[in-house]
Amino acid sequence: MLAKPIGGYCRISDADLADIRRAVKAGVLTPEEAAEEERKGVLRQREDIGTLAGGSPVKWYEDNNLSAFKRNVRRPDFEKMIKDLKAGRISGILAYDIDRVYRQPRDLERVIDIYEISKEPLVFKTLSGQNFDLTSPDGRFSARLFVNIANKSSEDTRRRVVRANVAKAKKGKSHATGIVFGWLEDDPSKLDPETSKIRKKAVEKHIAGDRVATIMKWLADENVINVATGKHFTWGGTKAMIMAPRNWGIRTYNEELIYDDENEIVMGDWDPIFPTLDGWHLLQALKGRDAHKNPAEANVSYLLTAIARCGRCGGGLKGHPKWKNGERTPGYNYNCNKQRPEHCGALAIDGPQLDELVQDLVWAQVLRASKQKHVPAATEPWTGEAALKDVEAEIAELQALWKAKKVRAASYVTTLDDLNARKNELLADRAYHSVPAGTRSITEELLSNGWENLSIERQRIIVRKVLRAVVIHPAKSRGGRFDPARAEPVFHAA
């Protein structure tokens, strides 16, 4: 009968990984060489652990580049090893050191439970010479002691790293690692003349009304490669690039704004793409408002969906593709859908011809506005100036009390966080009102590139600025030609 194998567990230590990563950052090792060094470390562990087996067969388990300390990290091979141990498929565990297997007491306790109830002797040996008989009280006590020491060491290291990172953040030191699209590869504090223009345009497109998916497609059409991945931008990568505080030179920590001793937002030590924070505050306002203003706008594929209204029941028309012989054609209709009891569902009109009619009408209005150098003003003046001044005054008063040591630290921090959050909300609201949708619609880009080069969502923004709706009246006869007189534009009140 073949001898039951012993489980051999390998894992590169956090210290080894830190050394390798520092070497990559310093340029001593390439990423490929770093991966090779990690692999060599595992192979050396296998060779060393093999001597503990004493000729017995070994079943190997390897969790390379995975922490045993972080609670949210799942080690697949560690889980397999415990499962095999419990099922009796292996006769114990061999490891380079106990802290390579356990750095959380709860993981050790899972193994101790198996050793305590096992009906046959199980091996637990380490190359460090600290061997533990987990079936005995003394062995379990020693193992628990060593694992708790290892856990405390990792916790102390984590606290030191957090303190260092916070201090670094408050000084505005960059937290970027590796190549960042928009900045120079050899000096990430300096803007790259070519890629920074692309990044800037992506942000401006989003502020002007383009969805993330539209900008992702634009980047792909322009064959823009994400230097960090060597591939085209994904939806997530595009969104992260647009929303990144780094674009405005803002230094964050754990995705939160941080403030200096004067309660000013900490700025980073790199060149920003945008010189002022106006665009940042505007983006925060749009991020909240555009998402909740009209969720149905998110996936609109036709220009006049919900803008065109049924002349019979008043319901919004929706674009639907035309099908012929089971195949989709380039044509489409705007139909009244029977989605609610009050909708008639009995009206339709040819989509492309209606779109063309409305486009010509709206474009004429845009050109007229541009020639008159008239930009539509915000529908209402911003009324939050007094509230902003009050919040700024409260912040100044709170800081004075803190300097005079008349307020407790806990109260100061909590109150200051609340006031800063309120201040940023007001700044975002002011930015939104100071750059109304009209100026976001009629831009130099629009006038130079023309209607056809705009995304569908930006075309809809412009249409909505000119028209409140387009009422479609019933046709006089079935199957007749397109009748422009059926479309009645409803303009906004002057």
Side-chain angles (χ1 to χ4, degrees), residues 289-322:
R289 296 191 185 194
D290 288 353
H292 303 293
K293 187 177 181 181
N294 188 357
E297 289 282 338
N299 297 309
V300 171
S301 301
Y302 298 95
L303 178 67
L304 298 177
T305 289
I307 297 175
R309 308 296 291 270
C310 178
R312 280 196 175 101
C313 66
L317 303 188
K318 187 175 181 180
H320 290 283
K322 290 181 180 179

PDB file of all heavy atoms in Angstrom, residues 289-322:
ATOM      1  N   ARG A 289     -26.223  64.528 -10.054  1.00  0.00           N
ATOM      2  CA  ARG A 289     -27.464  64.963 -10.685  1.00  0.00           C
ATOM      3  C   ARG A 289     -27.785  64.177 -11.952  1.00  0.00           C
ATOM      4  O   ARG A 289     -28.911  63.789 -12.179  1.00  0.00           O
ATOM      5  CB  ARG A 289     -27.389  66.452 -11.013  1.00  0.00           C
ATOM      6  CG  ARG A 289     -27.274  67.312  -9.769  1.00  0.00           C
ATOM      7  CD  ARG A 289     -27.478  68.767 -10.110  1.00  0.00           C
ATOM      8  NE  ARG A 289     -27.238  69.563  -8.922  1.00  0.00           N
ATOM      9  CZ  ARG A 289     -27.591  70.828  -8.802  1.00  0.00           C
ATOM     10  NH1 ARG A 289     -28.208  71.432  -9.786  1.00  0.00           N
ATOM     11  NH2 ARG A 289     -27.339  71.497  -7.699  1.00  0.00           N
ATOM     12  N   ASP A 290     -26.779  63.967 -12.798  1.00  0.00           N
ATOM     13  CA  ASP A 290     -27.037  63.267 -14.051  1.00  0.00           C
ATOM     14  C   ASP A 290     -27.477  61.831 -13.807  1.00  0.00           C
ATOM     15  O   ASP A 290     -28.217  61.253 -14.581  1.00  0.00           O
ATOM     16  CB  ASP A 290     -25.785  63.288 -14.942  1.00  0.00           C
ATOM     17  CG  ASP A 290     -25.511  64.675 -15.521  1.00  0.00           C
ATOM     18  OD1 ASP A 290     -26.359  65.560 -15.333  1.00  0.00           O
ATOM     19  OD2 ASP A 290     -24.463  64.870 -16.158  1.00  0.00           O
ATOM     20  N   ALA A 291     -27.012  61.241 -12.700  1.00  0.00           N
ATOM     21  CA  ALA A 291     -27.347  59.846 -12.416  1.00  0.00           C
ATOM     22  C   ALA A 291     -28.792  59.699 -11.956  1.00  0.00           C
ATOM     23  O   ALA A 291     -29.444  58.693 -12.231  1.00  0.00           O
ATOM     24  CB  ALA A 291     -26.405  59.283 -11.351  1.00  0.00           C
ATOM     25  N   HIS A 292     -29.313  60.710 -11.256  1.00  0.00           N
ATOM     26  CA  HIS A 292     -30.632  60.571 -10.652  1.00  0.00           C
ATOM     27  C   HIS A 292     -31.710  61.423 -11.334  1.00  0.00           C
ATOM     28  O   HIS A 292     -32.895  61.227 -11.089  1.00  0.00           O
ATOM     29  CB  HIS A 292     -30.572  60.956  -9.166  1.00  0.00           C
ATOM     30  CG  HIS A 292     -29.578  60.155  -8.397  1.00  0.00           C
ATOM     31  ND1 HIS A 292     -29.727  58.805  -8.178  1.00  0.00           N
ATOM     32  CD2 HIS A 292     -28.402  60.503  -7.808  1.00  0.00           C
ATOM     33  CE1 HIS A 292     -28.694  58.352  -7.475  1.00  0.00           C
ATOM     34  NE2 HIS A 292     -27.889  59.358  -7.247  1.00  0.00           N
ATOM     35  N   LYS A 293     -31.285  62.342 -12.179  1.00  0.00           N
ATOM     36  CA  LYS A 293     -32.247  63.254 -12.796  1.00  0.00           C
ATOM     37  C   LYS A 293     -33.263  62.509 -13.640  1.00  0.00           C
ATOM     38  O   LYS A 293     -34.452  62.728 -13.536  1.00  0.00           O
ATOM     39  CB  LYS A 293     -31.488  64.275 -13.647  1.00  0.00           C
ATOM     40  CG  LYS A 293     -32.369  65.385 -14.199  1.00  0.00           C
ATOM     41  CD  LYS A 293     -31.510  66.379 -14.949  1.00  0.00           C
ATOM     42  CE  LYS A 293     -32.354  67.517 -15.509  1.00  0.00           C
ATOM     43  NZ  LYS A 293     -31.548  68.488 -16.251  1.00  0.00           N
ATOM     44  N   ASN A 294     -32.807  61.614 -14.492  1.00  0.00           N
ATOM     45  CA  ASN A 294     -33.697  60.829 -15.344  1.00  0.00           C
ATOM     46  C   ASN A 294     -33.010  59.523 -15.705  1.00  0.00           C
ATOM     47  O   ASN A 294     -32.292  59.454 -16.703  1.00  0.00           O
ATOM     48  CB  ASN A 294     -34.058  61.605 -16.613  1.00  0.00           C
ATOM     49  CG  ASN A 294     -35.133  60.890 -17.419  1.00  0.00           C
ATOM     50  OD1 ASN A 294     -35.554  59.799 -17.057  1.00  0.00           O
ATOM     51  ND2 ASN A 294     -35.568  61.507 -18.511  1.00  0.00           N
ATOM     52  N   PRO A 295     -33.199  58.469 -14.903  1.00  0.00           N
ATOM     53  CA  PRO A 295     -32.521  57.199 -15.166  1.00  0.00           C
ATOM     54  C   PRO A 295     -32.797  56.651 -16.551  1.00  0.00           C
ATOM     55  O   PRO A 295     -31.975  55.932 -17.108  1.00  0.00           O
ATOM     56  CB  PRO A 295     -33.102  56.277 -14.078  1.00  0.00           C
ATOM     57  CG  PRO A 295     -33.581  57.192 -13.002  1.00  0.00           C
ATOM     58  CD  PRO A 295     -34.038  58.423 -13.703  1.00  0.00           C
ATOM     59  N   ALA A 296     -33.934  56.982 -17.154  1.00  0.00           N
ATOM     60  CA  ALA A 296     -34.265  56.461 -18.478  1.00  0.00           C
ATOM     61  C   ALA A 296     -33.330  56.987 -19.552  1.00  0.00           C
ATOM     62  O   ALA A 296     -33.196  56.405 -20.623  1.00  0.00           O
ATOM     63  CB  ALA A 296     -35.710  56.838 -18.824  1.00  0.00           C
ATOM     64  N   GLU A 297     -32.656  58.121 -19.283  1.00  0.00           N
ATOM     65  CA  GLU A 297     -31.743  58.689 -20.269  1.00  0.00           C
ATOM     66  C   GLU A 297     -30.485  57.850 -20.458  1.00  0.00           C
ATOM     67  O   GLU A 297     -29.778  57.992 -21.437  1.00  0.00           O
ATOM     68  CB  GLU A 297     -31.318  60.103 -19.837  1.00  0.00           C
ATOM     69  CG  GLU A 297     -32.418  61.140 -19.944  1.00  0.00           C
ATOM     70  CD  GLU A 297     -32.636  61.608 -21.377  1.00  0.00           C
ATOM     71  OE1 GLU A 297     -31.723  61.474 -22.195  1.00  0.00           O
ATOM     72  OE2 GLU A 297     -33.733  62.093 -21.666  1.00  0.00           O
ATOM     73  N   ALA A 298     -30.192  56.976 -19.501  1.00  0.00           N
ATOM     74  CA  ALA A 298     -28.906  56.283 -19.507  1.00  0.00           C
ATOM     75  C   ALA A 298     -28.680  55.440 -20.755  1.00  0.00           C
ATOM     76  O   ALA A 298     -27.560  55.360 -21.255  1.00  0.00           O
ATOM     77  CB  ALA A 298     -28.790  55.401 -18.261  1.00  0.00           C
ATOM     78  N   ASN A 299     -29.719  54.798 -21.293  1.00  0.00           N
ATOM     79  CA  ASN A 299     -29.531  53.878 -22.408  1.00  0.00           C
ATOM     80  C   ASN A 299     -30.346  54.261 -23.636  1.00  0.00           C
ATOM     81  O   ASN A 299     -30.742  53.401 -24.411  1.00  0.00           O
ATOM     82  CB  ASN A 299     -29.906  52.455 -21.965  1.00  0.00           C
ATOM     83  CG  ASN A 299     -28.995  51.963 -20.858  1.00  0.00           C
ATOM     84  OD1 ASN A 299     -27.782  52.025 -20.985  1.00  0.00           O
ATOM     85  ND2 ASN A 299     -29.582  51.500 -19.768  1.00  0.00           N
ATOM     86  N   VAL A 300     -30.600  55.550 -23.829  1.00  0.00           N
ATOM     87  CA  VAL A 300     -31.368  55.996 -24.981  1.00  0.00           C
ATOM     88  C   VAL A 300     -30.529  55.877 -26.247  1.00  0.00           C
ATOM     89  O   VAL A 300     -29.385  56.314 -26.291  1.00  0.00           O
ATOM     90  CB  VAL A 300     -31.840  57.454 -24.784  1.00  0.00           C
ATOM     91  CG1 VAL A 300     -32.447  57.990 -26.065  1.00  0.00           C
ATOM     92  CG2 VAL A 300     -32.861  57.516 -23.664  1.00  0.00           C
ATOM     93  N   SER A 301     -31.101  55.266 -27.279  1.00  0.00           N
ATOM     94  CA  SER A 301     -30.381  55.047 -28.535  1.00  0.00           C
ATOM     95  C   SER A 301     -30.913  55.891 -29.678  1.00  0.00           C
ATOM     96  O   SER A 301     -30.315  55.911 -30.754  1.00  0.00           O
ATOM     97  CB  SER A 301     -30.456  53.558 -28.922  1.00  0.00           C
ATOM     98  OG  SER A 301     -29.895  52.747 -27.916  1.00  0.00           O
ATOM     99  N   TYR A 302     -32.060  56.546 -29.477  1.00  0.00           N
ATOM    100  CA  TYR A 302     -32.683  57.332 -30.541  1.00  0.00           C
ATOM    101  C   TYR A 302     -32.845  58.771 -30.083  1.00  0.00           C
ATOM    102  O   TYR A 302     -33.174  59.045 -28.933  1.00  0.00           O
ATOM    103  CB  TYR A 302     -34.033  56.733 -30.926  1.00  0.00           C
ATOM    104  CG  TYR A 302     -33.919  55.330 -31.476  1.00  0.00           C
ATOM    105  CD1 TYR A 302     -34.089  54.222 -30.654  1.00  0.00           C
ATOM    106  CD2 TYR A 302     -33.618  55.111 -32.818  1.00  0.00           C
ATOM    107  CE1 TYR A 302     -33.974  52.931 -31.154  1.00  0.00           C
ATOM    108  CE2 TYR A 302     -33.493  53.824 -33.337  1.00  0.00           C
ATOM    109  CZ  TYR A 302     -33.674  52.741 -32.491  1.00  0.00           C
ATOM    110  OH  TYR A 302     -33.544  51.467 -32.987  1.00  0.00           O
ATOM    111  N   LEU A 303     -32.653  59.698 -31.006  1.00  0.00           N
ATOM    112  CA  LEU A 303     -32.597  61.115 -30.689  1.00  0.00           C
ATOM    113  C   LEU A 303     -33.833  61.629 -29.966  1.00  0.00           C
ATOM    114  O   LEU A 303     -33.744  62.375 -28.995  1.00  0.00           O
ATOM    115  CB  LEU A 303     -32.388  61.918 -31.986  1.00  0.00           C
ATOM    116  CG  LEU A 303     -32.364  63.441 -31.847  1.00  0.00           C
ATOM    117  CD1 LEU A 303     -31.130  63.876 -31.048  1.00  0.00           C
ATOM    118  CD2 LEU A 303     -32.386  64.110 -33.214  1.00  0.00           C
ATOM    119  N   LEU A 304     -35.013  61.247 -30.420  1.00  0.00           N
ATOM    120  CA  LEU A 304     -36.245  61.877 -29.930  1.00  0.00           C
ATOM    121  C   LEU A 304     -37.070  60.993 -29.007  1.00  0.00           C
ATOM    122  O   LEU A 304     -38.240  61.299 -28.740  1.00  0.00           O
ATOM    123  CB  LEU A 304     -37.096  62.331 -31.117  1.00  0.00           C
ATOM    124  CG  LEU A 304     -36.425  63.382 -32.021  1.00  0.00           C
ATOM    125  CD1 LEU A 304     -37.308  63.719 -33.203  1.00  0.00           C
ATOM    126  CD2 LEU A 304     -36.100  64.638 -31.228  1.00  0.00           C
ATOM    127  N   THR A 305     -36.506  59.900 -28.514  1.00  0.00           N
ATOM    128  CA  THR A 305     -37.229  59.088 -27.537  1.00  0.00           C
ATOM    129  C   THR A 305     -37.632  59.951 -26.330  1.00  0.00           C
ATOM    130  O   THR A 305     -36.789  60.630 -25.749  1.00  0.00           O
ATOM    131  CB  THR A 305     -36.364  57.904 -27.068  1.00  0.00           C
ATOM    132  OG1 THR A 305     -36.248  56.962 -28.137  1.00  0.00           O
ATOM    133  CG2 THR A 305     -36.981  57.207 -25.873  1.00  0.00           C
ATOM    134  N   ALA A 306     -38.916  59.925 -25.994  1.00  0.00           N
ATOM    135  CA  ALA A 306     -39.506  60.677 -24.879  1.00  0.00           C
ATOM    136  C   ALA A 306     -39.588  62.181 -25.127  1.00  0.00           C
ATOM    137  O   ALA A 306     -40.287  62.893 -24.400  1.00  0.00           O
ATOM    138  CB  ALA A 306     -38.778  60.417 -23.572  1.00  0.00           C
ATOM    139  N   ILE A 307     -38.879  62.690 -26.157  1.00  0.00           N
ATOM    140  CA  ILE A 307     -39.022  64.102 -26.523  1.00  0.00           C
ATOM    141  C   ILE A 307     -40.212  64.244 -27.460  1.00  0.00           C
ATOM    142  O   ILE A 307     -41.022  65.163 -27.340  1.00  0.00           O
ATOM    143  CB  ILE A 307     -37.734  64.631 -27.180  1.00  0.00           C
ATOM    144  CG1 ILE A 307     -36.568  64.573 -26.184  1.00  0.00           C
ATOM    145  CG2 ILE A 307     -37.924  66.061 -27.683  1.00  0.00           C
ATOM    146  CD1 ILE A 307     -35.223  64.951 -26.779  1.00  0.00           C
ATOM    147  N   ALA A 308     -40.316  63.307 -28.415  1.00  0.00           N
ATOM    148  CA  ALA A 308     -41.491  63.264 -29.279  1.00  0.00           C
ATOM    149  C   ALA A 308     -42.667  62.735 -28.464  1.00  0.00           C
ATOM    150  O   ALA A 308     -42.545  61.739 -27.748  1.00  0.00           O
ATOM    151  CB  ALA A 308     -41.224  62.372 -30.491  1.00  0.00           C
ATOM    152  N   ARG A 309     -43.818  63.423 -28.578  1.00  0.00           N
ATOM    153  CA  ARG A 309     -44.991  63.053 -27.774  1.00  0.00           C
ATOM    154  C   ARG A 309     -46.172  62.724 -28.689  1.00  0.00           C
ATOM    155  O   ARG A 309     -46.345  63.304 -29.764  1.00  0.00           O
ATOM    156  CB  ARG A 309     -45.392  64.206 -26.843  1.00  0.00           C
ATOM    157  CG  ARG A 309     -44.250  64.760 -25.995  1.00  0.00           C
ATOM    158  CD  ARG A 309     -43.719  63.711 -25.025  1.00  0.00           C
ATOM    159  NE  ARG A 309     -44.666  63.419 -24.001  1.00  0.00           N
ATOM    160  CZ  ARG A 309     -44.735  64.066 -22.835  1.00  0.00           C
ATOM    161  NH1 ARG A 309     -43.890  65.059 -22.582  1.00  0.00           N
ATOM    162  NH2 ARG A 309     -45.628  63.730 -21.932  1.00  0.00           N
ATOM    163  N   CYS A 310     -46.986  61.788 -28.239  1.00  0.00           N
ATOM    164  CA  CYS A 310     -48.155  61.356 -28.997  1.00  0.00           C
ATOM    165  C   CYS A 310     -49.228  62.451 -28.997  1.00  0.00           C
ATOM    166  O   CYS A 310     -49.611  62.959 -27.939  1.00  0.00           O
ATOM    167  CB  CYS A 310     -48.718  60.070 -28.396  1.00  0.00           C
ATOM    168  SG  CYS A 310     -50.211  59.459 -29.212  1.00  0.00           S
ATOM    169  N   GLY A 311     -49.708  62.807 -30.203  1.00  0.00           N
ATOM    170  CA  GLY A 311     -50.736  63.840 -30.322  1.00  0.00           C
ATOM    171  C   GLY A 311     -52.113  63.362 -29.914  1.00  0.00           C
ATOM    172  O   GLY A 311     -53.039  64.170 -29.778  1.00  0.00           O
ATOM    173  N   ARG A 312     -52.277  62.049 -29.695  1.00  0.00           N
ATOM    174  CA  ARG A 312     -53.569  61.510 -29.256  1.00  0.00           C
ATOM    175  C   ARG A 312     -53.672  61.488 -27.719  1.00  0.00           C
ATOM    176  O   ARG A 312     -54.653  61.960 -27.156  1.00  0.00           O
ATOM    177  CB  ARG A 312     -53.748  60.090 -29.789  1.00  0.00           C
ATOM    178  CG  ARG A 312     -54.191  60.013 -31.242  1.00  0.00           C
ATOM    179  CD  ARG A 312     -54.721  58.609 -31.552  1.00  0.00           C
ATOM    180  NE  ARG A 312     -55.265  58.528 -32.899  1.00  0.00           N
ATOM    181  CZ  ARG A 312     -54.628  57.995 -33.931  1.00  0.00           C
ATOM    182  NH1 ARG A 312     -53.407  57.506 -33.768  1.00  0.00           N
ATOM    183  NH2 ARG A 312     -55.193  57.949 -35.121  1.00  0.00           N
ATOM    184  N   CYS A 313     -52.646  60.878 -27.086  1.00  0.00           N
ATOM    185  CA  CYS A 313     -52.732  60.658 -25.630  1.00  0.00           C
ATOM    186  C   CYS A 313     -51.709  61.449 -24.835  1.00  0.00           C
ATOM    187  O   CYS A 313     -51.777  61.496 -23.609  1.00  0.00           O
ATOM    188  CB  CYS A 313     -52.584  59.171 -25.319  1.00  0.00           C
ATOM    189  SG  CYS A 313     -50.941  58.500 -25.705  1.00  0.00           S
ATOM    190  N   GLY A 314     -50.724  62.045 -25.507  1.00  0.00           N
ATOM    191  CA  GLY A 314     -49.703  62.824 -24.816  1.00  0.00           C
ATOM    192  C   GLY A 314     -48.542  62.011 -24.282  1.00  0.00           C
ATOM    193  O   GLY A 314     -47.607  62.552 -23.690  1.00  0.00           O
ATOM    194  N   GLY A 315     -48.570  60.686 -24.489  1.00  0.00           N
ATOM    195  CA  GLY A 315     -47.476  59.841 -24.005  1.00  0.00           C
ATOM    196  C   GLY A 315     -46.203  60.025 -24.816  1.00  0.00           C
ATOM    197  O   GLY A 315     -46.236  60.440 -25.978  1.00  0.00           O
ATOM    198  N   GLY A 316     -45.061  59.730 -24.195  1.00  0.00           N
ATOM    199  CA  GLY A 316     -43.787  59.844 -24.890  1.00  0.00           C
ATOM    200  C   GLY A 316     -43.609  58.727 -25.914  1.00  0.00           C
ATOM    201  O   GLY A 316     -43.937  57.568 -25.640  1.00  0.00           O
ATOM    202  N   LEU A 317     -43.102  59.071 -27.097  1.00  0.00           N
ATOM    203  CA  LEU A 317     -42.820  58.072 -28.123  1.00  0.00           C
ATOM    204  C   LEU A 317     -41.449  57.465 -27.888  1.00  0.00           C
ATOM    205  O   LEU A 317     -40.545  58.113 -27.351  1.00  0.00           O
ATOM    206  CB  LEU A 317     -42.875  58.703 -29.515  1.00  0.00           C
ATOM    207  CG  LEU A 317     -44.175  59.414 -29.917  1.00  0.00           C
ATOM    208  CD1 LEU A 317     -44.122  59.803 -31.393  1.00  0.00           C
ATOM    209  CD2 LEU A 317     -45.397  58.551 -29.638  1.00  0.00           C
ATOM    210  N   LYS A 318     -41.287  56.222 -28.313  1.00  0.00           N
ATOM    211  CA  LYS A 318     -40.027  55.512 -28.121  1.00  0.00           C
ATOM    212  C   LYS A 318     -39.553  54.942 -29.450  1.00  0.00           C
ATOM    213  O   LYS A 318     -40.364  54.437 -30.239  1.00  0.00           O
ATOM    214  CB  LYS A 318     -40.211  54.378 -27.109  1.00  0.00           C
ATOM    215  CG  LYS A 318     -38.909  53.683 -26.726  1.00  0.00           C
ATOM    216  CD  LYS A 318     -39.150  52.654 -25.636  1.00  0.00           C
ATOM    217  CE  LYS A 318     -37.847  51.974 -25.241  1.00  0.00           C
ATOM    218  NZ  LYS A 318     -38.051  50.963 -24.177  1.00  0.00           N
ATOM    219  N   GLY A 319     -38.245  55.042 -29.700  1.00  0.00           N
ATOM    220  CA  GLY A 319     -37.691  54.534 -30.945  1.00  0.00           C
ATOM    221  C   GLY A 319     -37.630  53.020 -30.969  1.00  0.00           C
ATOM    222  O   GLY A 319     -37.237  52.398 -29.974  1.00  0.00           O
ATOM    223  N   HIS A 320     -38.038  52.439 -32.100  1.00  0.00           N
ATOM    224  CA  HIS A 320     -37.987  50.988 -32.282  1.00  0.00           C
ATOM    225  C   HIS A 320     -37.446  50.681 -33.674  1.00  0.00           C
ATOM    226  O   HIS A 320     -37.863  51.310 -34.661  1.00  0.00           O
ATOM    227  CB  HIS A 320     -39.383  50.367 -32.134  1.00  0.00           C
ATOM    228  CG  HIS A 320     -39.912  50.381 -30.744  1.00  0.00           C
ATOM    229  ND1 HIS A 320     -39.492  49.494 -29.779  1.00  0.00           N
ATOM    230  CD2 HIS A 320     -40.808  51.203 -30.142  1.00  0.00           C
ATOM    231  CE1 HIS A 320     -40.122  49.750 -28.647  1.00  0.00           C
ATOM    232  NE2 HIS A 320     -40.926  50.787 -28.837  1.00  0.00           N
ATOM    233  N   PRO A 321     -36.532  49.724 -33.796  1.00  0.00           N
ATOM    234  CA  PRO A 321     -36.004  49.385 -35.128  1.00  0.00           C
ATOM    235  C   PRO A 321     -37.072  48.723 -35.995  1.00  0.00           C
ATOM    236  O   PRO A 321     -37.992  48.082 -35.488  1.00  0.00           O
ATOM    237  CB  PRO A 321     -34.868  48.414 -34.810  1.00  0.00           C
ATOM    238  CG  PRO A 321     -35.225  47.811 -33.496  1.00  0.00           C
ATOM    239  CD  PRO A 321     -35.944  48.888 -32.743  1.00  0.00           C
ATOM    240  N   LYS A 322     -36.923  48.874 -37.317  1.00  0.00           N
ATOM    241  CA  LYS A 322     -37.800  48.192 -38.260  1.00  0.00           C
ATOM    242  C   LYS A 322     -37.177  46.843 -38.639  1.00  0.00           C
ATOM    243  O   LYS A 322     -35.955  46.743 -38.793  1.00  0.00           O
ATOM    244  CB  LYS A 322     -37.981  49.043 -39.517  1.00  0.00           C
ATOM    245  CG  LYS A 322     -38.795  50.303 -39.323  1.00  0.00           C
ATOM    246  CD  LYS A 322     -38.937  51.046 -40.647  1.00  0.00           C
ATOM    247  CE  LYS A 322     -39.747  52.327 -40.481  1.00  0.00           C
ATOM    248  NZ  LYS A 322     -39.866  53.073 -41.776  1.00  0.00           N
TER     249      LYS A 322
END
